[in-house]
């Protein structure tokens, strides 16, 4: 996994995205092919067609994957029986909690007893190694045979290629998802402040939020800017400022990671000034990010982060916030205009979690076809207004109303304790490829409170109208990047934390960058740029 903490947050967003995802009426894909609309009247026909295609012969399929479901899906559940019946298979799943899955998968692969289907969270060094060793079946010839794979954008396929071949089938995750900076607009209004458009303006807002009693309780108990240990979340306000975004270039014209670019230097300088003035909370460097969410929900934080669809219990809880701050209004902060004139956010890879097929099935085309048909069937979008028991496809996928989900205010909400037993979607990751931000605009419809609905609508509107930078490193595979990026980012985080606290002078910035390069950063940058050049890939705005 790239980062277990980040991955655990992403799965919350993915789960929300899958539940809320909706498709437009015409449902056209990025390459002009009409994708199947499982939310329309054809859902029953699709279910019948899938079953008919699976009647030829019963096939046994070993399926090995990680899960965030609780309880963990078992091998003998009602959902497994539904999958067996639907596809005429002997479905043999083995699911491991993602907290330990990486280690268990490595052991499984090393044993040589490779399951028919292997799930992973993301591309990493193991994915590349196993693909090069011949463990996975190349899938390129199948990619145009199924509606769900036709819809996948090229930059997503690029991220799954090893030596020019695709070995994984990705599951949709909104490319505009992930944490975004948000602000208490009611605090801005009370203090007669405008929405900040740069770090200087943000600094004045943070100072006012901290010192000028925006909650009106007469106490010095508000936190202007939420910040947690590890400089978490990275207070970025655009692609130019993103630590993990390869947007900026060095003097040789090479792309470099944002962590050592001028955008990060500006952020660190901004934070160091706030620290020097005593504006940041004193214990932020040892505070867990979850505690900042608690403080936000208690009505005590002015600027923090949230993602489309929310983050569940580890995010902003608008019902709790309403109780503590009845007039609270939360809105997203638009990206800042960078010194080079750019203004936009970084797009994610547009997928989270993928499936590989064992290379041992190369001489079993019928089995491969059955597996791909199963994955394709689960990867169909459903209109929001058809996510209910009247939609045969959706009702089957989510385990039936009253069993796997229940309707609340017109929205299907999962029954967490039952899903693992009755919902096939708890076993095979579902979610269609949405090309027009339909998933973003479903979240307001699913919101449980008016305040949350207003926030989700404002966030969807902002993201829909924003430019997004496609991170070029998400389209290549670099062994050194996989090996060194985490270690190098940790080094930068440690050193910049020292700078914020004044334990290392900001004048050491260039020296710190050189240390980063000497620790493997130069080799990483050289390899990344060589791969980008070889594949004719550049950073681009969408």
């Amino acid at each position: 996994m790239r980062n277990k903490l980040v991955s655990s947050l992403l799965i919350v967003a993915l789960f929300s995205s899958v539940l809320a995802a909706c498709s437009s009426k015409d449902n056209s894909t990025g390459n002009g092919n009409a994708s199947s609309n499982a939310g329309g009247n054809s859902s029953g026909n699709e279910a019948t067609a899938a079953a008919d295609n699976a009647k030829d012969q019963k096939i046994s399929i070993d399926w090995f994957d990680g899960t965030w479901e609780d309880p963990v899906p078992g091998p003998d559940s009602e959902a497994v029986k539904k999958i067996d019946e639907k596809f005429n298979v002997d479905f043999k799943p083995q699911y491991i909690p993602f907290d330990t899955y990486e280690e268990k998968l490595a052991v499984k692969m090393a044993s040589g007893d490779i399951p028919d289907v292997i799930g992973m969270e993301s591309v990493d060094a193991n994915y590349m190694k196993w693909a090069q060793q011949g463990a996975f079946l190349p899938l390129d010839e199948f990619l145009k045979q199924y509606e769900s794979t036709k819809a996948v954008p090229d930059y997503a396929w690029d991220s799954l290629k090893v030596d020019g071949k695709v070995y994984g089938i990705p599951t949709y995750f909104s490319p505009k998802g992930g944490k975004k900076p948000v602000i208490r607009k009611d605090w801005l209004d009370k203090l007669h402040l405008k929405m900040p458009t740069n770090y200087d303006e943000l600094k004045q807002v943070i100072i006012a939020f901290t010192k000028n009693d925006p909650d009106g309780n007469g106490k010095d108990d508000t936190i202007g800017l939420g910040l947690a240990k590890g400089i978490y979340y990275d207070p970025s306000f655009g692609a130019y400022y993103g630590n993990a975004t390869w947007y900026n270039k060095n003097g040789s014209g090479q792309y470099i990671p944002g962590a050592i670019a001028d955008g990060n230097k500006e952020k660190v300088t901004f934070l160091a000034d706030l620290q020097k003035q005593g504006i940041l909370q004193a214990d932020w460097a040892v505070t867990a990010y979850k505690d900042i969410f608690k403080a936000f929900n208690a009505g005590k934080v002015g600027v923090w982060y949230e993602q489309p669809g929310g983050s569940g219990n580890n995010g902003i809880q608008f019902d709790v916030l309403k109780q503590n701050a009845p007039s609270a209004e939360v809105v997203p902060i638009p990206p800042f205009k960078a010194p080079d004139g750019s203004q936009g956010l970084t797009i994610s890879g547009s997928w989270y979690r993928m499936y590989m097929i064992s290379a041992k099935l190369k001489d079993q085309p019928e089995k491969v076809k059955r597996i791909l048909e199963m994955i394709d069937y689960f990867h169909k979008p459903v209109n929001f207004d058809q996510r209910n028991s009247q939609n045969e496809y959706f009702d089957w996928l989510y385990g039936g109303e009253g069993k796997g989900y229940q309707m609340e205010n017109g929205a299907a909400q999962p029954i967490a304790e039952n899903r693992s037993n009755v919902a096939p979607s708890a076993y095979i990751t579902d979610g269609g490829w949405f090309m027009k931000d339909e998933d973003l605009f479903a979240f307001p419809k699913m919101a449980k409170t008016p305040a949350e609905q207003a926030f989700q609508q404002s966030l969807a509107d902002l993201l829909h109208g924003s430019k997004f930078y496609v991170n070029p490193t998400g389209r290549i595979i670099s062994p050194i990047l996989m090996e060194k990026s985490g270690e190098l980012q940790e080094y930068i985080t440690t050193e910049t934390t020292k700078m914020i606290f004044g334990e290392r002078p900001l004048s050491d910035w260039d020296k710190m960058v050189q240390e980063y390069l000497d620790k493997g950063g130069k080799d990483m940058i050289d390899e990344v740029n060589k791969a980008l050049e070889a594949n004719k890939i550049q950073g681009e705005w969408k």
Side-chain angles (χ1 to χ4, degrees):
M1 289 179 283
R2 297 173 187 162
N3 182 301
K4 288 186 178 180
L5 180 55
V6 172
S7 295
S8 66
L9 293 171
L10 282 175
I11 189 61
V12 177
L14 172 65
F15 188 68
S16 299
S17 179
V18 166
L19 285 175
C22 62
S23 62
S24 62
K25 292 296 182 182
D26 65 355
N27 228 351
S28 60
T29 67
N31 60 11
N33 295 303
S35 61
S36 299
N37 183 357
N41 295 329
S42 61
S43 60
N45 293 333
E46 289 173 345
T48 302
D52 289 343
N53 290 336
K55 287 180 179 179
D56 298 332
Q57 58 178 333
K58 192 166 189 175
I59 295 176
S60 177
I61 298 176
D62 297 318
W63 202 285
F64 191 81
D65 198 3
T67 185
W68 292 106
E69 298 284 347
D70 185 16
V72 174
D76 301 311
S77 69
E78 180 179 330
V80 170
K81 293 181 175 63
K82 291 178 180 177
I83 293 172
D84 285 346
E85 180 180 354
K86 176 73 69 179
F87 299 102
N88 191 23
V89 295
D90 182 9
F91 183 58
K92 297 181 177 180
Q94 183 178 356
Y95 288 90
I96 310 294
F98 267 122
D99 290 341
T100 60
Y101 181 66
E102 183 176 322
E103 294 80 8
K104 298 291 179 62
L105 176 60
V107 171
K108 173 69 73 171
M109 298 297 291
S111 72
D113 181 21
I114 301 175
D116 299 321
V117 180
I118 305 96
M120 293 180 71
E121 283 189 287
S122 60
V123 169
D124 60 14
N126 279 331
Y127 170 80
M128 183 183 67
K129 178 182 70 175
W130 293 330
Q132 290 178 328
Q133 290 176 345
F136 303 142
L137 186 71
L139 300 172
D140 302 76
E141 66 179 286
F142 303 105
L143 301 185
K144 298 303 180 183
Q145 297 182 21
Y146 301 92
E147 295 300 332
S148 62
T149 50
K150 288 178 184 177
V152 179
D154 290 342
Y155 63 82
W157 288 128
D158 288 341
S159 68
L160 291 155
K161 289 180 179 178
V162 177
D163 298 330
K165 295 181 179 180
V166 173
Y167 292 91
I169 299 176
T171 298
Y172 177 82
F173 176 83
S174 178
K176 297 182 180 180
K179 291 291 191 294
K180 303 295 185 290
V182 301
I183 193 168
R184 286 283 299 273
K185 184 178 182 299
D186 56 308
W187 284 11
L188 284 175
D189 294 342
K190 180 176 181 179
L191 300 178
H192 306 291
L193 299 168
K194 295 181 179 180
M195 178 70 72
T197 63
N198 55 51
Y199 281 102
D200 286 338
E201 293 177 3
L202 178 62
K203 184 190 302 181
Q204 299 311 311
V205 168
I206 298 306
I207 292 172
F209 279 4
T210 305
K211 290 186 173 183
N212 296 352
D213 191 25
D215 61 354
N217 68 352
K219 300 178 181 179
D220 183 16
D221 61 352
T222 53
I223 298 171
L225 173 68
L227 195 64
K229 62 182 177 181
I231 315 180
Y232 202 89
Y233 295 95
D234 170 37
S236 297
F237 292 84
Y240 176 88
Y241 302 101
N243 272 12
T245 304
W246 291 58
Y247 174 83
N248 296 275
K249 294 182 178 181
N250 61 19
S252 301
Q254 293 178 307
Y255 285 100
I256 59 173
I260 60 171
D262 288 343
N264 193 32
K265 183 178 182 180
E266 184 174 346
K267 282 184 303 183
V268 172
T269 302
F270 155 79
L271 292 171
D273 193 26
L274 289 175
Q275 183 72 38
K276 186 177 181 179
Q277 296 186 52
I279 300 301
L280 300 178
Q281 71 266 32
D283 60 348
W284 71 263
V286 294
T287 299
Y289 77 95
K290 292 182 180 180
D291 290 335
I292 306 298
F293 273 115
K294 292 178 182 177
F296 192 97
N297 292 330
K300 298 302 179 183
V301 179
V303 175
W304 190 226
Y305 300 83
E306 190 48 284
Q307 61 195 10
S311 304
N313 292 332
N314 288 325
I316 297 177
Q317 298 175 26
F318 284 87
D319 53 346
V320 177
L321 178 61
K322 185 69 173 178
Q323 294 174 6
N324 293 311
S327 62
E329 182 180 359
V330 183
V331 298
I333 301 175
F336 292 168
K337 189 172 183 179
D340 66 354
S342 66
Q343 187 174 14
L345 302 166
T346 302
I347 204 167
S348 71
S350 74
W351 62 272
Y352 169 68
R353 299 184 62 176
M354 57 183 176
Y355 291 120
M356 283 68 65
I357 297 177
S358 172
K360 71 182 182 182
L361 303 187
K362 64 181 180 180
D363 297 322
Q364 300 181 55
E366 289 304 316
K367 190 168 187 176
V368 172
K369 180 181 178 183
R370 191 75 55 87
I371 291 169
L372 293 172
E373 287 174 347
M374 291 170 67
I375 295 173
D376 180 61
Y377 187 74
F378 278 77
H379 284 187
K380 296 180 185 298
V382 182
N383 291 336
F384 175 81
D385 60 359
Q386 294 170 355
R387 301 179 72 83
N388 52 52
S389 61
Q390 281 70 53
N391 185 305
E392 179 183 347
Y393 171 80
F394 174 80
D395 194 61
W396 179 86
L397 206 66
Y398 282 84
E401 184 178 4
K403 297 177 68 177
Y405 68 95
Q406 57 191 5
M407 301 302 296
E408 297 180 9
N409 298 320
Q413 303 290 351
I415 302 175
E417 62 272 21
N418 293 349
R419 263 182 57 82
S420 297
N421 182 56
V422 300
S425 63
Y427 286 76
I428 301 177
T429 307
D430 65 303
W433 224 274
F434 304 102
M435 308 305 294
K436 298 181 180 179
D437 292 343
E438 298 96 332
D439 56 319
L440 296 178
F441 289 104
F443 292 130
K445 300 174 183 178
M446 291 191 67
K448 296 181 180 180
T449 69
E452 182 180 4
Q453 181 180 22
F455 167 70
Q456 292 293 344
Q457 186 65 51
S458 65
L459 184 54
D461 289 338
L462 172 70
L463 297 177
H464 180 68
S466 295
K467 289 184 177 181
F468 280 81
Y469 176 76
V470 180
N471 198 354
T473 57
R475 304 179 64 179
I476 61 166
I477 293 179
S478 164
I480 298 179
L481 177 66
M482 293 175 182
E483 177 187 354
K484 300 293 293 185
S485 60
E487 172 190 331
L488 290 169
Q489 181 59 52
E490 183 177 354
Y491 169 76
I492 287 292
T493 299
T494 299
E495 297 307 307
T496 51
T497 298
K498 293 177 183 177
M499 289 181 176
I500 293 168
F501 277 96
E503 297 172 1
R504 183 170 186 176
L506 285 165
S507 59
D508 262 6
W509 184 270
D510 290 343
K511 181 180 179 181
M512 178 191 70
V513 171
Q514 187 59 54
E515 292 166 356
Y516 176 98
L517 297 174
D518 293 341
K519 290 178 177 292
K522 183 180 184 303
D523 292 339
M524 179 180 71
I525 291 170
D526 287 344
E527 181 177 87
V528 164
N529 281 273
K530 183 178 179 180
L532 292 174
E533 183 177 354
N535 290 280
K536 296 180 173 59
I537 290 173
Q538 296 184 6
E540 57 183 311
W541 289 96
K542 293 286 187 182

